Amino acid sequence: MGRAVAGGANAEADDGGVQLVSVSWNQDSTHFGVVTTADFRVFDCSSPFHEKLRRGLPHGAGDGYAMVGVEMLFRSEIFALVAAAGGEGGSGRSRVVVWDDRENRSISDILEFQSDVVRAVRVSKDYLVVVLDRVVRVYGLRASARPLWRIATALNPQGLCCLSCHVDVDVLACLGTARGQVRVDRLGKNPETRFIVAHSSHVACMAMTVDGAVLATASVKGTLVRVFSTMDGTCLQQVRRGLDPAEIHSIALSPNLQWLAVCSDKGTLHVFSLRVRVEAKDAAGHKQSADQAASSIVQTKTASNARSSLSFMKVILPDYFSSEWSFAQFRLPETTTYVTAFGEQQNTVMIIGMDGSFYRCSFDPVNGKEMVRKEYFRFLKDKDSPPFRARV
């Protein structure tokens, strides 16, 4: 699950004169939520691609507040909405509300943050996670305003955080307090914490599988992406995006753990082949718990990533000449921020741009190389969108 917020080139105004503020995928990447300067919208990525709903800020979120973020709970009509006084870049006062659109009401207390900027929110069937600059607060999804856990982090202006949605246990990944460190918490009746030293420099982007078993991270250097087991912190694989430093905007892991996708400010989407799997069932054929799944990660042989033609020199410069380079690539305009996700169709990647663009691409799972664009939409200019309907 990825998210992008305003900060680079925003979407051009659509026919209603609105601007794009943020975009975010839902947990299974079948839908994405969009916040504009006028409302929030949900788009369905199934065929045909279409806008599913459009809503205004619910009554009770406060006068003078504007929506800056939305997080969906899978394909349900439950949304975590973030509103800020004065909108994006406002005074620092923020509110978070969990909204049930089917029942047209809030299902939890409105959370007030008088001096802290809410950088991100995450939701599961049991928890609401609010990410602030130096702390992550975990609440019950339908509970009161008292947090269940407060987790101290390093400075986190990007709101880096991942929350799994496994049926048995929720796994939370966020920044640790040290540079390059990721903290992994198993929430519930028997909480457990593990720290992963992911990079020598600050972490810039992260993504986790829905079951919480595997975590992928990139640093501010933006040259390498590392894949870890959340159960024991083992580094399972390392791939190289490029040689030059880059700002990584988005990382995505395919549901079957066969592929990893990376978007950066260099204008190229890279897809890498992974060599890890999580065994979904035990020897008796029963579904495993999240802990069991995380501990049963196995190395596999899949399509091979590209390697340097000078790989024979890896004895001299092992980190570079033994690197795994991307298996497939797709070129994007270097004009905005993109977030990516894998589609329900095999070997398909979707990309949302903060310029209001949507791409669906496919790649050859055997030969890789250049990807093929299958669909392209300007979702803020969709003339077939349903009429605006405010919920108050």
Side-chain angles (χ1 to χ4, degrees), residues 122-374:
R122 299 288 182 262
V123 288
S124 70
K125 64 182 180 61
D126 295 316
Y127 299 109
L128 166 69
V129 175
V130 178
V131 185
L132 308 175
D133 276 334
R134 290 187 179 274
V135 67
V136 170
R137 298 185 184 183
V138 182
Y139 302 84
L141 186 65
R142 299 173 182 268
S144 67
R146 184 185 295 271
L148 302 174
W149 291 280
R150 290 184 177 90
I151 300 171
T153 71
L155 182 63
N156 189 12
Q158 294 176 288
L160 300 181
C161 183
C162 302
L163 180 64
S164 76
C165 297
H166 196 276
V167 66
D168 294 324
V169 64
D170 289 76
V171 179
L172 172 69
C174 62
L175 296 184
T177 54
R179 182 176 62 183
Q181 184 186 70
V182 176
R183 171 173 171 153
V184 178
D185 286 272
R186 279 177 159 69
L187 308 177
K189 295 180 179 179
N190 300 301
E192 179 184 345
T193 301
R194 173 167 280 102
F195 292 94
I196 298 173
V197 180
H199 302 275
S200 58
S201 53
H202 293 287
V203 178
C205 193
M206 65 172 68
M208 189 166 63
T209 52
V210 175
D211 62 8
V214 175
L215 175 76
T217 66
S219 76
V220 292
K221 293 181 180 179
T223 54
L224 299 173
V225 178
R226 293 182 174 133
V227 181
F228 299 92
S229 164
T230 62
M231 187 64 183
D232 58 14
T234 302
C235 183
L236 304 170
Q237 193 171 346
Q238 174 178 287
V239 297
R240 181 174 290 277
R241 182 212 55 82
L243 290 175
D244 297 330
E247 182 179 342
I248 303 297
H249 293 154
S250 174
I251 299 173
L253 292 156
S254 67
N256 63 3
L257 266 181
Q258 188 173 357
W259 309 104
L260 179 147
V262 179
C263 274
S264 73
D265 63 350
K266 297 298 184 180
T268 303
L269 168 73
H270 294 275
V271 173
F272 300 86
S273 174
L274 295 181
R275 300 190 305 274
V276 297
R277 295 288 185 279
V278 178
E279 296 296 326
K281 295 182 179 181
D282 61 20
H286 300 129
K287 189 174 183 179
Q288 294 179 320
S289 69
D291 284 349
Q292 290 171 324
S295 64
S296 59
I297 296 172
V298 295
Q299 300 290 117
T300 63
K301 291 184 178 180
T302 62
S304 297
N305 293 313
R307 292 183 181 270
S308 169
S309 60
L310 301 177
S311 59
F312 64 88
M313 297 181 66
K314 64 184 179 181
V315 176
I316 302 172
L317 293 172
D319 287 343
Y320 174 77
F321 289 114
S322 62
S323 293
E324 297 182 48
W325 299 75
S326 58
F327 174 78
Q329 307 82 34
F330 183 74
R331 310 296 173 180
L332 292 157
E334 296 181 44
T335 56
T336 192
T337 301
Y338 299 96
V339 290
T340 186
F342 286 90
E344 289 188 295
Q345 300 175 352
Q346 282 192 334
N347 313 318
T348 300
V349 179
M350 300 175 293
I351 309 156
I352 314 168
M354 282 299 292
D355 57 356
S357 58
F358 172 86
Y359 299 82
R360 196 190 314 268
C361 314
S362 66
F363 59 92
D364 184 328
V366 176
N367 299 311
K369 299 183 179 179
E370 291 298 320
M371 301 174 68
V372 177
R373 191 179 86 178
K374 295 294 187 181

Side-chain angles (χ1 to χ4, degrees), residues 37-52:
T37 49
D39 48 46
F40 81 88
R41 311 174 187 189
V42 173
F43 292 86
D44 188 333
C45 298
S46 61
S47 184
F49 175 88
H50 62 281
E51 184 179 319
K52 187 174 182 179

Side-chain angles (χ1 to χ4, degrees), residues 22-40:
S22 69
V23 298
S24 60
W25 292 101
N26 72 335
Q27 288 93 339
D28 61 8
S29 304
T30 57
H31 297 70
F32 64 90
V34 165
V35 173
T36 76
T37 49
D39 48 46
F40 81 88

